[in-house]
Amino acid sequence: MMTQIGNYAACVALAVVLGGSGGAAFAGDAAKGKATFVRVGCYECHGHQGQGGVAGLKLAPDPLPYETLAAFVRSSSGPMPPYSDKILSDADLSDIYAYLASIPKPPDPKSIPPLNP
Amino acid sequence: MARKPEVDRRKFLTSVAVAGAATAVASEATGAAVDTTQSQPPKPSALRPSAAVAAAESAVPAALPHAEGRPGSDFMVDVLRSLKFEYLATNPASSCRGIHESLVNYGNNERPEMLTVMHEESGTGMAHGYSKVAGKPMALLFHGTVGLQHATMGIYNAWCDRVPIVVMVGNHLDAATRPPGVPTTHSAQDPLSLIRDFTKWDDQPGSLQAYAEAMVRAYKIAMTPPMEPVAIALDAHLQEHPQNGEMLSIPKLTLTSPPQGDANAVREAARLLAAAERPVIVADRAARTANGMRGVIALAETLNAPVVDQGGRLNMPTSHYLNQSGRGGALVGQADVILALELTDLWGTLNTFVDNVQGTRTSRLKPNAKVINLGVGDLYIRANYQDFQRFADADISIGADAEATLPALIEAVKAEMTAERRAQNDKRADDLRKAHAQGRERAMAAAVLGWDSSPVTTARLSAEIWAAVRNEDWALVSSDFFQSLWPHRLWNMDKHYQFIGGSGGAGVGYGLPAAVGAALAHRSEGRLVVNIQSDGDMMYAPGALWTAVHHKIPLLTVMHNNRAYHQEFMHLQKVGNWRNRGVDRAHIATTIRDPFIDYAKLAQSMGMLGIGPIEDPKDLAPALQRAVQIVKAGDPVLIDVVSEPR
């Protein structure tokens, strides 16, 4: 049967956004990147829009600078499993980055009726 | 009793059944032989039962004597009545036919009313959810052996979740008189050994008087903290045979008062808390009732201490500024005194564990931090199953029920606290209010990410449900861990019954039946009950949907349909990455695709209004509004929403 990844407290802690800047226009192909983001499983923990949740941090909009993101993806030794270039090519990773950088800013929460009942 | 050896009813039924089976096989073979000689293809037809089969299935032969005298199982119903069981969930079983008939014809199917469940695990899950809301057990009646085997995982969940349920199983004990064949296959000399590792007490009474005493004891033990499942095996002979004129009496039920903390230990704990600069309260199953929640609030306010609610129950209102669950790990790391209330996992609270290749473990504790452990965990513990978790150090360990001990602890803290300390603590309040407000703002800012996208985000799913129910007297009866805790982050959960935690044992298949059972307990209060339902969990035993319709249990089920056993999907992804060989095959045997399941149709097939699948988040609000009206009118509804994984 299932085991939970982490306990409640750990997962809430995960939800804390580490922040970041960047998100400038990027050389990768955003459309291809969107498909790759799903194919290699990033969405499983981060959500299709990189929105984050109990299983992974928010990645977009405004992703970390490419170098920081790539370094993290290649060498994570924490709860996120690393992706070596053997299983995720540099080209795929830059497409993923282009996809994350293309995700538009969300609406203002105050403008959304269900969030302001 | 009127025993007539010349026509033993049991022997009669069993022998005709065996003869019938033999006859059926013979005629089938003959039929096939005849068909080969015919030029016309055979007409499809049902196998015609032989006269003996028909008799065995339905008829009561004229020669059979009617059982005379008052059946033993009528007395068993009297015992159930004395314990004020409102409901008894059952999946029908020949080993329980005696008491089943008594419940229906002698008890008139009232108090307890029988609930038809389609899997024993569903019945157990229903009893589990019901008990957490009603504050008392539901009775369960299952076949021994095979029925109990079906029920076991649900019983383990209830055990881990400290929930009282009373399981009864039928059994033919006497090898000389029990029917041969299937009833013997289903008999056991010690049927309850199967669940003894995760029940608090069990018995197989050998007489009706012993049954009465066993049931009252079982009920009492189940309801004494640590509350746990109990089980009684009902001998079929005892059920089916008339009472033999013995004087029977039903003992009085007097519930045992919950264990309260030793006064010295409580005072010692109060001293530490009253002197603490940065105390933190961590609670998992501290609030069984409204009183429990009042106690947690009062203690937190007395100390101005943040509360980390781990979600086994609703221990602290989410809107209270001292509910700081979102920064639980950090708060434990900064604390000088940690008060643990009814935790499942003290070790996991005081330490971090990272699920990486090394499985990194580090202590969160500041040097010299003191830990007070208050709970019933040490009072009853078994060896085999490891739900007691890893051993953790504590400076004061109080083996007592937290809810019952909180009033004394609060008084002791007040008595120990100096005016100076009180003034310092009060200064914390502003910071804590600010942190609480910021937590809410961060949640709102995170909730809008992917707001209009498909699959529907779990934040939007939760926000839309909240908007649809918030003006009702509502209760959420599912855990929200898989929905990234969005209901906890966005909703005002203020009453203890508005959230009842999860399965306890993380055995999947709990969600749907527990929701139906909890909804049944809420029904008499007229509450609007919401179940956010995982798809994988639903498919273990979807027949609980039928039970909800059949018994008219109003319940709004909103599917969090991520089309996967998603937790396992992520585990597979991790291992594939770690082993550096392939990251695009983790969906194999972890996903529910090809084909997708149409949950609205599944609900419809059982007579429930099913809406969906909803893929566009804009369709959610109108569907919810419609569904809420129907649920308020008394029926269950299911809305299928194709959703983000977490």
Side-chain angles (χ1 to χ4, degrees):
Chain A
M1 291 285 157
M2 289 197 194
T3 55
Q4 294 186 342
I5 294 186
N7 62 20
Y8 175 93
C11 290
V12 174
L14 271 188
V16 175
V17 180
L18 296 182
S21 58
F26 194 73
D29 178 330
K32 265 168 67 185
K34 184 174 181 179
T36 309
F37 192 76
V38 171
R39 181 174 57 80
V40 302
C42 314
Y43 88 99
E44 291 166 31
C45 305
H46 293 284
H48 286 84
Q49 308 294 314
Q51 73 270 22
V54 283
L57 296 176
K58 162 190 171 287
L59 303 179
D62 301 329
L64 299 169
Y66 178 71
E67 293 70 28
T68 318
L69 181 139
F72 186 87
V73 168
R74 294 281 182 232
S75 64
S76 165
S77 59
M80 171 167 152
Y83 286 75
S84 74
D85 57 5
K86 182 179 162 207
I87 53 177
L88 180 71
S89 70
D90 286 341
D92 278 346
L93 189 52
S94 58
D95 288 343
I96 285 175
Y97 192 79
Y99 168 58
L100 293 174
S102 76
I103 290 174
K105 286 212 184 313
D108 179 356
K110 297 207 174 65
S111 71
I112 296 195
L115 288 174
N116 299 276
Chain B
M1 59 165 283
R3 245 193 166 157
K4 295 195 178 127
E6 65 275 16
V7 193
D8 184 306
R9 180 162 164 272
R10 282 187 185 169
K11 261 196 204 138
F12 177 85
L13 282 182
T14 326
S15 56
V16 286
V18 171
T23 318
V25 170
S27 55
E28 190 177 24
T30 320
V34 170
D35 281 343
T36 56
T37 65
Q38 292 179 353
S39 52
Q40 295 289 324
K43 282 187 189 155
S45 84
L47 196 61
R48 184 182 288 277
S50 69
V53 170
E57 290 287 331
S58 57
V60 179
L64 199 66
H66 291 285
E68 285 166 22
R70 193 169 175 244
S73 52
D74 284 5
F75 176 68
M76 292 177 172
V77 172
D78 292 340
V79 174
L80 294 176
R81 284 235 163 117
S82 82
L83 294 170
K84 301 198 166 50
F85 283 107
E86 280 182 280
Y87 298 104
L88 175 147
T90 193
N91 185 258
S94 59
S95 59
C96 303
R97 65 187 185 181
I99 189 169
H100 190 149
E101 193 274 344
S102 291
L103 284 160
V104 172
N105 290 324
Y106 170 69
N108 206 24
N109 194 27
E110 284 167 4
R111 297 188 164 263
E113 176 189 342
M114 298 183 87
L115 304 167
T116 314
V117 299
M118 305 197 131
H119 192 301
E120 289 79 357
E121 190 176 295
S122 305
T124 312
M126 277 182 71
H128 187 165
Y130 172 89
S131 179
K132 284 197 271 187
V133 176
K136 62 180 183 180
M138 174 188 282
L140 295 169
L141 182 65
F142 299 145
H143 224 341
T145 307
V146 287
L148 186 60
Q149 285 164 350
H150 272 306
T152 47
M153 188 214 70
I155 298 171
Y156 185 62
N157 273 337
W159 163 266
C160 296
D161 200 21
R162 302 205 185 293
V163 170
I165 58 178
V166 177
V167 186
M168 292 181 288
V169 301
N171 188 40
H172 291 272
L173 194 54
D174 183 355
T177 60
R178 70 185 164 213
V182 174
T184 295
T185 308
H186 289 176
S187 297
Q189 51 153 276
D190 184 8
L192 299 171
S193 62
L194 188 62
I195 53 172
R196 194 159 295 138
D197 274 328
F198 42 91
T199 40
K200 200 172 169 192
W201 190 70
D202 69 83
D203 195 9
Q204 181 163 229
S207 69
L208 290 171
Q209 184 58 40
Y211 169 79
E213 290 167 24
M215 279 301 289
V216 175
R217 189 195 299 272
Y219 192 103
K220 185 175 160 82
I221 287 177
M223 288 293 287
T224 306
M227 296 187 186
E228 298 292 6
V230 292
I232 300 291
L234 305 183
D235 180 29
H237 181 91
L238 214 53
Q239 299 173 47
E240 292 190 17
H241 284 267
Q243 299 165 25
N244 59 10
E246 57 196 314
M247 289 292 291
L248 295 172
S249 63
I250 304 173
K252 186 162 84 174
L253 172 71
T254 306
L255 290 180
T256 307
S257 63
Q260 239 183 299
D262 166 75
N264 286 330
V266 167
R267 197 172 319 119
E268 206 53 41
R271 262 186 212 136
L272 280 183
L273 286 165
E277 283 176 23
R278 307 193 78 155
V280 60
I281 300 168
V282 186
D284 195 11
R285 292 192 182 84
R288 286 197 312 274
T289 67
N291 259 343
M293 184 191 256
R294 272 194 286 273
V296 176
I297 297 171
L299 179 64
E301 288 179 348
T302 304
L303 291 162
N304 245 318
V307 176
V308 179
D309 188 337
Q310 294 187 326
R313 302 286 185 272
L314 186 63
N315 301 290
M316 189 73 182
T318 58
S319 55
H320 195 293
Y321 75 99
L322 290 173
N323 186 330
Q324 304 270 332
S325 307
R327 16 185 232 125
L331 286 168
V332 169
Q334 294 157 5
D336 55 353
V337 177
I338 297 144
L339 172 65
L341 299 177
E342 302 290 359
L343 299 199
T344 313
D345 188 1
L346 180 60
W347 188 91
T349 303
L350 305 181
N351 296 275
T352 60
F353 167 73
V354 180
D355 187 26
N356 55 10
V357 178
Q358 304 79 24
T360 310
R361 293 152 168 87
T362 41
S363 170
R364 287 187 209 275
L365 290 183
K366 266 198 335 197
N368 301 324
K370 299 279 187 245
V371 176
I372 305 163
N373 190 20
L374 165 53
V376 288
D378 288 345
L379 298 186
Y380 193 79
I381 190 166
R382 305 302 292 263
N384 190 11
Y385 294 95
Q386 302 289 304
D387 59 289
F388 42 77
Q389 301 293 329
R390 191 167 170 188
F391 190 82
D393 288 351
D395 297 280
I396 299 179
S397 191
I398 306 178
D401 181 49
E403 180 167 323
T405 306
L406 278 171
L409 182 60
I410 293 162
E411 286 316 305
V413 168
K414 283 181 180 161
E416 295 289 338
M417 205 181 328
T418 62
E420 195 185 353
R421 169 57 61 199
R422 196 183 309 274
Q424 276 164 347
N425 287 357
D426 288 348
K427 283 198 205 124
R428 271 202 296 265
D430 277 350
D431 284 350
L432 288 164
R433 277 181 215 283
K434 220 177 283 164
H436 186 266
Q438 281 167 355
R440 281 274 165 136
E441 272 166 34
R442 267 202 306 274
M444 299 272 275
V448 291
L449 299 171
W451 185 258
D452 289 317
S453 64
S454 179
V456 179
T457 65
T458 51
R460 177 135 190 199
L461 182 83
S462 305
E464 297 284 5
I465 296 173
W466 171 233
V469 305
R470 64 185 293 276
N471 292 324
E472 313 289 338
D473 182 14
W474 60 270
L476 177 67
V477 291
S478 48
S479 162
D480 58 354
F481 187 78
F482 287 170
Q483 293 84 47
S484 290
L485 302 165
W486 279 113
H488 269 88
R489 297 174 74 191
L490 296 176
W491 304 11
N492 287 342
M493 299 184 178
D494 296 331
K495 305 195 177 79
H496 83 283
Y497 61 76
Q498 285 177 325
F499 182 75
I500 53 172
S503 63
V508 186
Y510 155 92
L512 178 65
V516 175
L520 176 66
H522 282 303
R523 185 172 68 180
S524 56
E525 306 294 327
R527 295 185 190 127
L528 182 72
V529 182
V530 181
N531 167 34
I532 304 180
Q533 174 64 47
S534 304
D535 51 336
D537 180 282
M538 155 80 81
M539 292 309 291
Y540 278 82
L545 292 173
W546 179 88
T547 300
V549 176
H550 181 70
H551 293 285
K552 272 192 92 63
I553 301 172
L555 171 64
L556 171 58
T557 292
V558 183
M559 296 295 299
H560 171 209
N561 178 6
N562 60 22
R563 296 173 165 170
Y565 299 104
H566 194 78
Q567 198 74 22
E568 314 315 308
F569 195 0
M570 293 187 291
H571 276 299
L572 250 283
Q573 188 70 47
K574 271 193 165 179
V575 178
N577 284 35
W578 288 342
R579 294 179 178 170
N580 207 16
R581 53 177 183 197
V583 285
D584 51 6
R585 311 185 80 207
H587 62 280
I588 296 174
T590 55
T591 49
I592 309 175
R593 316 170 171 166
D594 304 318
F596 294 135
I597 297 171
D598 187 333
Y599 295 99
K601 283 205 180 116
L602 179 71
Q604 287 157 13
S605 77
M606 295 188 234
M608 186 182 294
L609 175 64
I611 302 172
I614 288 179
E615 305 207 28
D616 184 341
K618 289 193 192 64
D619 296 337
L620 199 47
L624 283 163
Q625 279 153 18
R626 182 178 162 215
V628 163
Q629 292 316 313
I630 293 164
V631 176
K632 280 173 75 175
D635 286 312
V637 179
L638 180 146
I639 304 178
D640 181 15
V641 185
V642 179
S643 319
E644 283 283 359
R646 286 289 180 266

